[in-house]
Amino acid sequence: MALLNIINVPDPLLKTISDPVAQVDDELRRLMDNMLETMYAAPGIGLAAIQVAVPRRVIVIDTEGDEKMRKPRFLVNPEVTWESEEYNVYNEGCLSVPEHYAEVERPASVKVKYLDYDGKQHEELMDGLLATCVQHEIDHLNGVVFIDYLSKLRRNMIVKKVQKATRDMAVL
Ligand code: NI
């Protein structure tokens, strides 16, 4: 397995609409394994393929956040088929927007259709942190980052700070 490079805002790739996966094969599983390792190393609880510059509809999630209780999920071509009328607010962050957090309101529960690591189809009801996380990651596949829900002023401020931090890091 290998660690992949995570891209940050304002990289225009993050605005890409990712392509559906035609087939879950060994090459895709290798990508998913590397994405999972990259996510754990970051550390984060969710990662979309576009964040490692691969425009395919693949996400990995593990909301357990505990090294001893890992519960990785691989979702290929994920699609929300139902959402609750009830909303939830979470303080969200993103590996492509390091060190910045903001409250985002999303449906509290969703039903998601996807293919798993073996290409088997599922439809699953998700709630709590998992529901928020899966919606955040599906947004990435559609070129949307959580800061897009904030005011333009706040978004621009965050992007400038991330840009500066990324530049300073490159100097070291
Ligand atoms: Ni994210």
Side-chain angles (χ1 to χ4, degrees), residues 54-114:
V54 178
R56 303 176 76 182
R57 301 188 82 80
V58 179
I59 62 182
V60 297
I61 292 178
D62 189 341
T63 50
E64 290 296 323
D66 182 346
E67 230 168 281
K68 289 177 215 109
M69 293 262 302
R70 283 186 166 167
K71 200 184 169 204
R73 288 165 180 276
F74 304 90
L75 291 86
V76 178
N77 297 340
E79 208 182 304
V80 173
T81 55
W82 174 86
E83 50 186 51
S84 62
E85 276 165 34
E86 188 196 332
Y87 278 69
N88 240 345
V89 176
Y90 267 100
N91 200 29
E92 294 189 21
C94 178
L95 292 176
S96 295
V97 192
E99 319 248 319
H100 292 273
Y101 301 87
E103 290 194 336
V104 179
E105 194 182 51
R106 301 183 188 271
S109 349
V110 286
K111 224 180 248 180
V112 180
K113 203 167 89 176
Y114 63 95

Side-chain angles (χ1 to χ4, degrees), residues 17 19 21 43 48 96:
I17 297 186
D19 297 322
V21 171
S96 295

Side-chain angles (χ1 to χ4, degrees), residues 51 93-95 136-137 140:
Q51 292 180 274
C94 178
L95 292 176
H136 174 120
E137 302 311 330
H140 276 300

